[in-house]
Amino acid sequence: MEQDRQNEQLPQEKSHFFSTRFIRFLGGKNLLFLLIITLLAGCIIFIFDKISFIFQPFLVLLEVVILPGVLGVILYYLLRPFLRILMRWKVPRVWGILLIFLGLIGVITLLILLVVPFLKNQFTNLLHEFPIYFMSLIDSVISFINNSRINEYLATANIDYNLVLENITDDLTKTVKDTATNLASGVANGVTGVVTTLTGIVLSLVIVPFILFYLLWEGEKMPKFILRLFPPRMRAFVDDVMEDMDNQISSYIQGQILVSICIGIMVTIGFLIIKLPYALLLGTLAMVTSVVPYLGPVIAITPALIIAIVTSPFMVVKVGVVWTVVQLIEGKFISPQIMGKSLSIHPITIIFVLLTFGSLFGVPGVILGIPVYALIKVFVQHFYMLFKERYNKFQTNTADQYEDIQ
């Protein structure tokens, strides 16, 4: 009785819209806050879309800075381990940077003098001979169809495959000629645009050494400078985020470059062993395209297969064996040792990321899609953990409510 009287004396809470079961199930006032934030975000996006011309100078600045900035960052992460080794050997930072620059200039000079001319000759010869390879491939397909049962099925279906292949060849030849003509006329009509583009690329490449020098000189101090911009209570969290991002980018760039070099060397050696034409060029192509995971090897193997098919059927088998061995060694031994599980990204996710970024930003998006996704993933993971800690901090302990039921 006394308990009932006390309950009657307590002030009864007024029922309102947010106290209904359905609204409480959806989140109560949190739902209202979420709707307001979504509405404000939509208004901001709409307003920015209407005044996008204001940001045009910033977009131009970004386009000018993005190429040398990305190249500088990639070279910084590749050369930073060497600088740290030199500093461990008591070499001053300035002298270490100068030694690294001298070594880099020496490597580039050797490549230009020794490797590039040979690759240029092979590439030129391949361009001249590729139409012959392609026509030989068409003839091989026709011969295969004539000597198989497919010819009977095509005859039953009234399909003239000779006409189909002839139309495909004519269309391809016409497309190549039209492309060459349009390209020539475009170059002739837009010499100023071509010169401007080349000038921008040259200036970007000239700026790269200066960006690289200052990154090697001040790169270790940058996180401390960024931390000072945040309140003291947030600095530990921000420091963890930046350290994780740095590890992700460093592991990916260094690991992917090393893996690509190993693939290029193994493919070149394998193609030399089986005496496939243009082995060095195809190995270099495999090394360059392997920077893009999963999609790169598919691009690299295509010209090798075309050359092998035209050479001999047994050469196709040998190319397949070489490629299989290279992929097995890379997947089972090289990548686990060099890359480890630093990114922890599922292969399906990588493929979707590459396709999405490639559709949005083209070739640069394919190259930079994985590291950008890794940065976004680190950022989201840390903020999700911060949200969980904050939510658990203010979450009331509801275990006592179910003691009677248990």
Side-chain angles (χ1 to χ4, degrees):
M1 295 293 292
E2 293 180 358
Q3 184 69 27
D4 295 337
R5 291 177 182 176
Q6 290 177 359
N7 292 336
E8 291 177 357
Q9 292 176 359
L10 291 175
Q12 299 293 330
E13 294 184 0
K14 295 181 179 179
S15 61
H16 49 81
F17 176 74
F18 295 103
S19 64
T20 59
R21 288 186 177 181
F22 181 71
I23 298 300
R24 287 172 62 189
F25 173 76
L26 294 177
K29 293 183 179 180
N30 293 331
L31 176 63
L32 177 62
F33 295 150
L34 178 62
L35 293 176
I36 293 175
I37 291 173
T38 305
L39 180 62
L40 290 176
C43 293
I44 292 172
I45 294 172
F46 176 77
I47 294 172
F48 279 7
D49 181 64
K50 294 300 181 182
I51 59 173
S52 58
F53 60 90
I54 297 177
F55 304 99
Q56 187 64 30
F58 298 99
L59 294 177
V60 173
L61 178 63
L62 182 62
E63 291 177 357
V64 172
V65 174
I66 187 81
L67 177 60
V70 169
L71 292 177
V73 169
I74 292 174
L75 290 175
Y76 167 69
Y77 279 107
L78 289 177
L79 300 176
R80 186 176 66 175
F82 299 103
L83 180 61
R84 289 178 174 176
I85 293 173
L86 292 175
M87 292 182 65
R88 241 183 259 130
W89 293 347
K90 307 300 180 181
V91 178
R93 181 179 288 269
V94 177
W95 292 107
I97 295 173
L98 292 178
L99 288 174
I100 288 174
F101 268 73
L102 289 176
L104 191 62
I105 292 172
V107 171
I108 294 174
T109 303
L110 287 176
L111 289 176
I112 292 175
L113 294 178
L114 300 179
V115 181
V116 172
F118 182 73
L119 290 178
K120 180 182 178 182
N121 291 332
Q122 282 206 338
F123 183 72
T124 304
N125 294 333
L126 182 60
L127 284 181
H128 287 298
E129 295 181 2
F130 193 80
I132 301 175
Y133 283 119
F134 182 78
M135 294 306 300
S136 299
L137 178 63
I138 296 296
D139 293 337
S140 300
V141 172
I142 294 175
S143 177
F144 174 76
I145 293 175
N146 288 331
N147 297 324
S148 64
R149 292 186 178 181
I150 300 177
N151 190 16
E152 300 177 3
Y153 297 124
L154 294 177
T156 304
N158 295 324
I159 298 176
D160 188 358
Y161 62 88
N162 289 312
L163 181 61
V164 173
L165 293 175
E166 184 179 352
N167 291 335
I168 292 175
T169 305
D170 293 341
D171 291 341
L172 183 62
T173 305
K174 182 180 179 182
T175 302
V176 172
K177 290 182 179 179
D178 293 342
T179 303
T181 304
N182 294 333
L183 182 62
S185 61
V187 171
N189 296 329
V191 176
T192 305
V194 173
V195 171
T196 303
T197 304
L198 292 177
T199 304
I201 294 174
V202 171
L203 289 176
S204 299
L205 296 177
V206 171
I207 295 172
V208 169
F210 297 96
I211 296 176
L212 177 60
F213 178 84
Y214 282 105
L215 284 175
L216 292 172
W217 178 255
E218 299 286 347
E220 303 290 343
K221 301 178 183 179
M222 193 176 299
K224 297 179 181 179
F225 172 76
I226 295 175
L227 284 177
R228 294 195 194 100
L229 302 177
F230 291 88
R233 295 178 58 185
M234 293 185 62
R235 288 177 184 174
F237 171 74
V238 176
D239 186 45
D240 291 339
V241 174
M242 289 193 300
E243 183 178 358
D244 201 356
M245 287 182 172
D246 181 72
N247 292 334
Q248 292 281 318
I249 295 299
S250 176
S251 300
Y252 179 78
I253 292 177
Q254 296 171 9
Q256 198 64 42
I257 295 296
L258 289 175
V259 169
S260 300
I261 293 174
C262 293
I263 290 176
I265 293 173
M266 290 190 296
V267 169
T268 302
I269 294 174
F271 287 169
L272 287 174
I273 292 174
I274 64 175
K275 297 181 180 180
L276 182 71
Y278 307 105
L280 183 59
L281 180 62
L282 295 173
T284 304
L285 177 64
M287 180 182 67
V288 173
T289 56
S290 294
V291 176
V292 181
Y294 298 102
L295 298 182
V298 177
I299 300 173
I301 193 61
T302 303
L305 283 177
I306 293 175
I307 295 174
I309 291 172
V310 174
T311 304
S312 68
F314 187 59
M315 182 62 72
V316 178
V317 178
K318 292 192 286 187
V319 168
V321 171
V322 170
W323 198 259
T324 303
V325 171
V326 169
Q327 293 301 315
L328 286 175
I329 295 175
E330 183 269 331
K332 298 296 182 180
F333 300 101
I334 296 178
S335 289
Q337 296 296 326
I338 296 176
M339 299 286 289
K341 296 182 178 179
S342 55
L343 291 180
S344 300
I345 303 176
H346 196 276
I348 298 298
T349 305
I350 291 177
I351 293 175
F352 279 120
V353 169
L354 292 175
L355 293 176
T356 303
F357 275 78
S359 300
L360 292 175
F361 307 107
V363 177
V366 173
I367 298 174
L368 301 176
I370 301 302
V372 170
Y373 174 80
L375 292 180
I376 295 174
K377 181 181 177 182
V378 170
F379 191 79
V380 172
Q381 282 179 338
H382 279 273
F383 269 87
Y384 179 67
M385 293 301 296
L386 185 65
F387 169 76
K388 285 177 65 177
E389 291 178 2
R390 181 177 177 84
Y391 181 81
N392 293 333
K393 179 179 178 181
F394 291 99
Q395 177 69 19
T396 57
N397 187 9
T398 58
D400 297 337
Q401 301 177 9
Y402 303 97
E403 289 181 354
D404 297 337
I405 299 176
Q406 296 176 354

